[in-house]
Amino acid sequence: MIKNGSIDIIEKQVQSTDIRAKVEAFREEIKAITVGKRSAAIRHLSLELYDILLKPVEDRGNLKGIKFLGIVPNSFLHYLPFGMLME
């Protein structure tokens, strides 16, 4: 995280294949909603992805007082709608 001229690196050991599978499943659930199907799994996947990708930053207090958060995704994370992740 880059904030006020400082850089804070937070590492979490997670398998990229696990995150990719969750992102793909989340996107499939979003597609199901757009064609009128109700999804029970979307909230669960949203919480899981939030816990993996954003909660470590929040737990360190790095989001306090932040009004705007810029996320620079890489690889398959470009396809993840971060704004839909729930805590």
Side-chain angles (χ1 to χ4, degrees):
M1 170 163 220
I2 300 172
K3 182 178 173 185
N4 295 331
S6 68
I7 297 175
D8 187 11
I9 298 172
I10 301 169
E11 291 185 61
K12 183 172 182 175
Q13 296 297 321
V14 180
Q15 292 293 321
S16 133
T17 53
D18 292 341
I19 297 175
R20 180 186 296 268
K22 288 181 191 317
V23 168
E24 289 172 0
F26 188 59
R27 288 175 45 83
E28 288 302 315
E29 294 301 324
I30 292 168
K31 284 185 211 173
I33 289 173
T34 61
V35 295
K37 295 180 183 174
R38 187 175 174 141
S39 172
I42 197 164
R43 178 158 174 76
H44 178 73
L45 288 164
S46 174
L47 290 167
E48 282 186 5
L49 287 164
Y50 180 89
D51 285 346
I52 294 168
L53 299 169
L54 295 174
K55 186 122 174 70
V57 177
E58 182 182 31
D59 287 348
R60 272 213 170 145
N62 289 336
L63 298 181
K64 288 186 186 214
I66 298 293
K67 293 181 183 177
F68 300 100
L69 177 65
I71 296 174
V72 183
N74 189 26
S75 186
F76 60 89
L77 292 177
H78 280 285
Y79 304 107
L80 176 63
F82 280 86
M84 289 186 71
L85 300 184
M86 299 177 224
E87 57 180 307

